[in-house]
Amino acid sequence: MSVDDLRQQLRDRGYLSHGIERWFALDPWSSRAFWWELAIVALKAATLIAVFGALPFAAVMVFRNYPLHALETLGLFVTYGAAWLAASFAFVMLVALVLKVRPSLPIDTPRALLAISLGASALFVAPLALWWSRFDASPSTAELVTGAALAAAFFLVTTVVVSAALLSFSIYELQRIPAIHQKPRGVPMAIAAAVLIALLFVPAYAQRERPVAEPMIVTTPTTRNVALIAVDGLTVELLRSRPDLGRELRYVTPATALPGASTTERWASIGTGVRTDAHGVRAIEGVRFRGGRHIIQRISPGDFVLMNLAPAIGIARREPLPPTVRRRDYVWEIFAKRGLPVVSTNWWTTAESKDGALISISPETVFTAAQGQPLRLDQEATARFLAAVDASKPRFATVYLPALDVILNRLERDRNTQVVQSVQALDGVQQALVQMRTRGYEVVLIGLPGEEQSGQAVIASSIPIKNVAAAWDVAPTLLALMGFPLSSEMPGNDLASASAEPRIATYGSRVSATAPAAVNEDYYENLKSLGYIQ
């Protein structure tokens, strides 16, 4: 068979273009035309790969962040497409140069050509699998089917593009068509794609859906009714300046504060008793495309393309968000799971719900009702808290009051206004404390200084506690007061008892059947007006 016949067969099979023919005849080191032809061929191949590579990423993000405006969907596709275009262009250029400068690498056997083509395709699909598996929630059935189908199409297209480049080189070096290309390859490629997609995605999905068995916990329930009042921005110095608070809480001790990059992270450590790497609450950001109506909130951790590339090329900007994902239960959620009636009000990363023994009033409800007024934050939280306590008579109740932190640390106020409003906020704390004591509850109060606020954290209680404390000690103390064992994951200790009881290994991970909640626009705007989001 002549070379001309081989070329015609390649054209008929779609493997050969005039650009590829000219490129193999040029000298790479002395001809600018060589680089021009190489760039054109690589750009064509990269464009095809980029289009099919961007589709599964954009589709998954649309499923995760529905509803999105058409402009936002286009922004997702363009951003991921630009990243794939750059990566695949560099890859095709590199492969072509290796094949050109190393003529000792002709690929003739079907196994070699198929293995290299599939390996290259797997190299492109692997980042998709890693990116997809790192979302905080498992995919829905529709998302899984759509994403897997688009990933399979991406795999097949990449295989064709890579094998075409390899085949073209083999034709010119060997002057014959390798055996694998003398018959249709659709069936074996489809089978290979299905197997690879299953290997990449099914195990990760199955692992995320596997039910988590809760550890067996032996409890010795007490008859106490206990309330936890958490006051952001409260220090031991401020507490001691209010004798009326001291009359209700006779035991007051300074406490060492907690590490944490955000308010939400630190208070999650208080409520769960475990470190950030265990509870998983951290400062997060979303992305808003230029001209877009929505903040894209559900983003895979480490998404370089959306979090770095899109802002860099000016089509989007990053915006801080309140976290919604938490991997460990608050201690009162542990109580509720084991039958103790509980009321929780305004704690970060909690949702509005009434589930069994737990009544949860979300911060979204409280902050939205406050309408950007800091004192109304505590008023709304306290009113809803007391109403829920009166309605359900819980054994444990807790409320988070953030107004003092907002007044002292987040909003620009003249000094007189700041003093007046901070006194009013402390009056509100005192009223909440008196109301709970009147209802027969023992009270534990925890205060943390706000970001860059001077002063020391404080723990106060109507129950005798040790005079040396750390903020870590709140959760273990509450567990002990309610007759629950402490966890080895907790660095803190029980402040109310001198004896050291044996600890269990862990209370296990928090189990959530739903995807992380999206932050609605009203809540987001209220957080901005109160200084939580800059």
Side-chain angles (χ1 to χ4, degrees), residues 224-226 332 335-344 355-359 392-398 441 482:
R224 294 181 184 271
N225 291 331
V226 178
W332 47 91
F335 301 156
K337 283 184 175 180
R338 288 156 181 85
L340 267 66
V342 167
V343 166
S344 166
D355 184 14
L358 174 65
I359 296 175
S392 63
K393 303 295 189 297
R395 292 282 309 284
F396 183 90
T398 181
Y441 284 82
M482 302 306 294

Side-chain angles (χ1 to χ4, degrees), residues 257-322:
L258 300 177
S262 68
T263 296
T264 314
E265 179 182 337
R266 290 188 292 273
W267 284 103
S269 295
I270 293 287
T272 62
V274 301
R275 294 184 172 88
T276 301
D277 56 354
H279 64 62
V281 177
R282 64 193 187 282
I284 63 171
E285 291 179 304
V287 169
R288 190 193 294 271
F289 281 100
R290 180 171 293 179
R293 300 176 182 175
H294 307 94
I295 301 173
I296 297 176
Q297 301 180 29
R298 298 187 179 104
I299 302 175
S300 178
D303 190 328
F304 173 82
V305 173
L306 205 56
M307 299 301 292
N308 298 92
L309 181 60
I313 63 179
I315 65 172
R317 68 177 185 272
R318 295 164 65 161
E319 296 193 9
L321 287 170

